[in-house]
Amino acid sequence: MSENQTIYAAFAEKLDAVLSALEMEGTLPPETNRANVSVEPPRDPSHGDLATNAAMVLAKQAKTNPRALAQQIVEHLQRDPAITSAEIAGPGFINLRLASQSWIEELSAIAAKGDDYGKSAVGAGTTVNIEYVSANPTGPMHMGHCRGAVVGDALASLLEHAGHEVTREYYVNDAGGQVDTLARSAHLRYREALGEDIGAIPEGMYPGDYLVPVGKAAADEFGNRFVSEPEEEWLPIFRAFAVERMMDVIRSDLALLGIEHDVFASEAALQAAKKPEAAEAWLREHDLVYDGVLEKPKGKTIEDWEAVELPLFRSTKFGDDQDRPIRKSDGKWTYFGADLAYHMQKAEAADALIDIWGADHAGTVKRIKAAVAALSEGQGTAIPFDVKLVQMVQLLRGGEPVKMSKRSGNFVTIADMVEEVGKDVVRFTMLTRKPEAQMDFDFAKVIEASKDNPVFYVQYAHARICSILRKAGAENLSPSEESLYLLGEDELTLIRQAAQFPREVEAAARAREPHRIAFYLYDLAAAFHAFWNLGNDNAQKRIIVAQSPELSGARLFLATQIGQVIRNGLGILGVEAVEEL
RNA sequence: GCGCCCGUAGCUCAGUCGGAUAGAGCAUCGGAUUCCUAAUCCGGGGGCCACAGGUUCGAAUCCUGUCGGGCGCACCA
């Protein structure tokens, strides 16, 4: 086995060699198409350690029936001493059993690789930029941002484990009209901090208390310099000041979830650098932007709608319903106009881009994908670009929907959430379902049932392992690689489960689905708990067996490696591997 | 009206590039603790994989249509 190879890949190579041999013999035609051949652990463990569909997939090409071809393959495979049995089953599956030595070696491999076990090189040499969260800098983070934040962060770690170089990026929307509102709201709080009675917060301003400290900070910074100045004097200053403060709040909210971005990209800076102008010029040159009139929107009535000529991007050429404006009628950039330039900026430093968006932005996916495709292909390098939509989380408390409105200042913040249930529970809960399905998050249930939360189940397995190692230490026993041959079928079952970890990481990374790791860890923890409980019925099956330091050493070594795999997996998810519960 | 996502056990959800008898947790019923952490384990009951066609050696999985739920359809962000 080579350095970074999984046990499954190793046997896939052996099978490949057999198929090549059969081509040489003429049983198979030369250059058979093996694209659909797989080597996988069968779902039902009684079928063996590995199964391949090779005979069924290739029978047609070989102009024979699957079971006959399987027989040929089996004869070759049986010559391998690492394969103790090769059987044909059902319509032509080949089930393999591996010598226990193969599994024992895998256990040693876990120990040798340690924290690197599960890492892979499939993504080596590719830089991936993943943009996630990107919440508007107008207030603290609320629960609506949480799922995308956690999924994006776990995906970033997952891709790192697969060998990619990853940039975690946050796009700060500090150029739009909502920042004016923020600045005015902050100015109001500033006057309040200087002793003015501001009364009720007027309609159209952000009423949240989180702006009170911003007002105080502004009072400390500026004194009464901007109290009675005209708005145009202070607005730009308050914009920058308030955004800076809000980003501090957001960064500390993200830190509560264990999230840290590498790059915070400012929309205002992008515009100051004239990036959108450059993109527009290029698009006009290639007839992808033209001046035209928007159609009246369908399915929604707008009272003051009127036809205006605007610069439009030809997104209909790429399957969108409508061409999309890149500038507003006042000449300023639309969100989309700036966003396409922003994606070009990201593409300059990465080989692939991923955006994590909330499902409420699904309608804008086509246009941005179209723009990135047009710009990156046009400029010579097609950049793979994936937008992952994270579906809405319905927040409940005891079955009743929790109303959230940023405008009224009434929303559940991430800080509240983490304080109530803890970072690990929030992260694991968000990661134990696929992101494209909607989910309910019921505070009452999560808190009440926190002891049944799967995250504790996994952490408990890790804590138990730590506990047994502490206990062993007290009895002068320690994990030992010397006598692993003493391990039997119960232990091998556990090793087989652990050995799937690298495969799971690769598959999850390829599919860009971090939730698979969470489910895998649950299964691994279940296998360990089951193994542990064997000792309840039969003292000979405990990890520490008083009469045999050798067997104890081997089992402690096994437990240590299971702990290692759980730790590595939880590391991808950003969940703590606690040593005690 | 159009676009995107979802529909699997009473509930919450997994299900590998299409693979063998569709799996977990919760709930329910029955068991396991003088003994390494019972926040654990073992077992029972519970299924028209929304529905109807199609593709093929084989479909929960792929394609088409229907029904149901969510999100979106502004020069907002």
Side-chain angles (χ1 to χ4, degrees):
Chain A
M1 257 193 288
S2 75
E3 191 60 19
N4 269 309
Q5 201 175 20
T6 67
I7 196 165
Y8 299 97
F11 281 88
E13 269 181 21
K14 292 184 180 199
L15 174 68
D16 219 40
V18 167
L19 295 178
S20 295
L22 288 172
E23 284 179 11
M24 300 283 282
E25 290 173 11
T27 309
L28 284 172
E31 297 185 22
T32 45
N33 176 5
R34 303 175 193 175
N36 294 323
V37 174
S38 68
V39 178
E40 304 183 322
R43 281 188 194 170
D44 183 345
S46 71
H47 289 141
D49 294 331
L50 292 176
T52 177
N53 60 357
M56 289 181 291
V57 172
L58 300 177
K60 225 177 223 175
Q61 295 182 62
K63 297 199 170 72
T64 176
N65 71 69
R67 291 189 66 103
L69 179 57
Q71 187 53 42
Q72 303 271 341
I73 297 173
V74 160
E75 279 166 21
H76 278 78
L77 286 172
Q78 279 169 338
R79 293 175 202 156
D80 190 322
I83 295 170
T84 53
S85 86
E87 288 168 4
I88 303 167
F93 286 101
I94 300 170
N95 293 329
L96 306 179
R97 274 171 217 282
L98 309 187
S100 55
Q101 188 57 28
S102 298
W103 297 111
I104 304 272
E105 279 168 14
E106 186 69 8
L107 193 59
S108 293
I110 299 174
K113 289 177 187 164
D115 291 346
D116 288 337
Y117 184 70
K119 287 190 180 164
S120 131
V122 289
T126 334
T127 305
V128 181
N129 179 302
I130 169 160
E131 183 209 326
Y132 59 108
V133 188
S134 298
N136 283 333
T138 55
M141 292 192 46
H142 58 74
M143 281 306 294
H145 303 121
C146 185
R147 194 176 187 185
V150 170
V151 169
D153 196 57
L155 178 56
S157 304
L158 177 61
L159 294 176
E160 278 172 346
H161 272 72
H164 293 284
E165 194 175 308
V166 174
T167 304
R168 297 157 194 249
E169 187 150 332
Y170 186 123
Y171 185 40
V172 185
N173 300 130
D174 52 0
Q178 84 283 356
V179 181
D180 288 336
T181 305
L182 174 71
R184 291 190 190 104
S185 310
H187 188 262
L188 198 64
R189 295 295 192 176
Y190 157 73
R191 283 159 45 205
E192 182 183 46
L194 291 169
E196 197 173 317
D197 180 6
I198 57 167
I201 307 293
E203 189 74 15
M205 298 265 199
Y206 297 131
D209 289 342
Y210 59 86
L211 288 173
V212 172
V214 178
K216 285 206 179 98
D220 291 344
E221 177 102 7
F222 306 123
N224 58 8
R225 199 147 48 113
F226 295 116
V227 173
S228 43
E229 293 290 306
E231 183 178 288
E232 61 265 29
E233 292 297 319
W234 53 258
L235 192 69
I237 293 164
F238 271 72
R239 282 176 64 110
F241 185 85
V243 165
E244 197 48 48
R245 293 300 177 287
M246 286 303 103
M247 287 311 297
D248 285 344
V249 169
I250 287 170
R251 270 188 281 263
S252 76
D253 285 346
L254 286 169
L256 293 175
L257 285 172
I259 295 172
E260 205 178 321
H261 287 81
D262 303 312
V263 175
F264 288 86
S266 154
E267 183 184 0
L270 182 92
Q271 296 198 19
K274 304 279 183 208
K275 297 280 179 93
E277 279 87 347
E280 181 184 7
W282 190 90
L283 290 166
R284 278 192 188 271
E285 238 171 74
H286 293 79
D287 191 35
L288 289 165
V289 165
Y290 66 101
D291 294 313
V293 175
L294 277 181
E295 285 170 47
K296 194 166 185 173
K298 288 164 188 150
K300 204 175 179 182
T301 41
I302 297 151
E303 284 164 19
D304 54 353
W305 189 87
E306 54 185 43
V308 198
E309 195 177 68
L310 293 167
L312 301 179
F313 172 69
R314 290 193 194 279
S315 42
T316 45
K317 264 183 82 171
F318 304 87
D320 205 351
D321 311 335
Q322 212 178 19
D323 290 338
R324 304 292 176 175
I326 60 168
R327 288 180 192 260
K328 308 182 214 171
S329 44
D330 63 3
K332 287 184 183 162
W333 297 103
T334 60
Y335 182 85
F336 172 60
D339 205 29
L340 64 87
Y342 171 55
H343 279 77
M344 285 322 291
Q345 175 177 290
K346 285 194 287 187
E348 282 165 16
D351 304 311
L353 303 180
I354 301 174
D355 287 2
I356 309 288
W357 289 0
D360 50 344
H361 290 72
T364 65
V365 171
K366 276 183 182 167
R367 73 190 73 160
I368 192 67
K369 290 194 95 161
V372 170
L375 282 159
S376 70
E377 279 166 30
Q379 297 180 351
T381 40
I383 295 281
F385 172 45
D386 200 5
V387 178
K388 290 207 71 98
L389 291 177
V390 173
Q391 289 293 324
M392 300 285 111
V393 176
Q394 158 110 315
L395 261 193
L396 305 169
R397 199 179 275 278
E400 289 298 310
V402 178
K403 291 202 188 82
M404 295 223 295
S405 160
K406 204 163 188 174
R407 213 163 45 89
S408 69
N410 163 32
F411 50 85
V412 180
T413 65
I414 298 237
D416 295 338
M417 180 82 237
V418 172
E419 193 181 328
E420 269 195 70
V421 303
K423 177 195 84 161
D424 288 344
V425 170
V426 173
R427 287 191 68 119
F428 207 85
T429 303
M430 295 290 169
L431 289 168
T432 37
R433 56 216 68 210
K434 53 185 175 203
E436 65 269 26
Q438 294 157 235
M439 70 179 281
D440 290 348
F441 193 98
D442 193 317
F443 273 90
K445 267 193 201 161
V446 169
I447 294 162
E448 185 184 299
S450 67
K451 288 202 167 182
D452 293 323
N453 195 295
V455 71
F456 294 115
Y457 185 84
V458 175
Q459 287 180 319
Y460 182 40
H462 187 264
R464 267 185 156 172
I465 289 164
C466 294
S467 162
I468 194 82
L469 290 169
R470 284 191 295 269
K471 168 115 183 159
E475 295 179 18
N476 276 324
L477 291 165
S478 59
S480 162
E481 210 170 341
E482 296 304 309
S483 310
L484 295 181
Y485 63 87
L486 292 171
L487 299 181
E489 194 49 39
D490 295 327
E491 288 88 353
L492 290 180
T493 302
L494 197 46
I495 298 172
R496 286 187 191 102
Q497 190 69 28
Q500 297 208 33
F501 182 60
R503 209 177 147 266
E504 289 291 339
V505 172
E506 267 186 30
R510 203 179 324 111
R512 295 179 169 169
E513 290 179 344
H515 73 274
R516 291 193 193 189
I517 302 298
F519 284 99
Y520 167 75
L521 287 175
Y522 190 89
D523 289 344
L524 179 61
F528 180 76
H529 285 311
F531 177 68
W532 174 284
N533 274 275
L534 293 174
N536 282 339
D537 297 332
N538 181 348
Q540 293 305 310
K541 293 196 169 185
R542 288 188 204 160
I543 292 170
I544 296 175
V545 184
Q547 306 84 342
S548 173
E550 291 80 16
L551 184 55
S552 300
R555 285 184 181 161
L556 286 166
F557 185 80
L558 167 67
T560 304
Q561 304 327 318
I562 301 301
Q564 178 76 59
V565 174
I566 293 177
R567 207 153 52 240
N568 293 0
L570 287 176
I572 293 174
L573 303 182
V575 171
E576 200 143 341
V578 295
E579 302 195 356
E580 265 174 295
L581 215 54

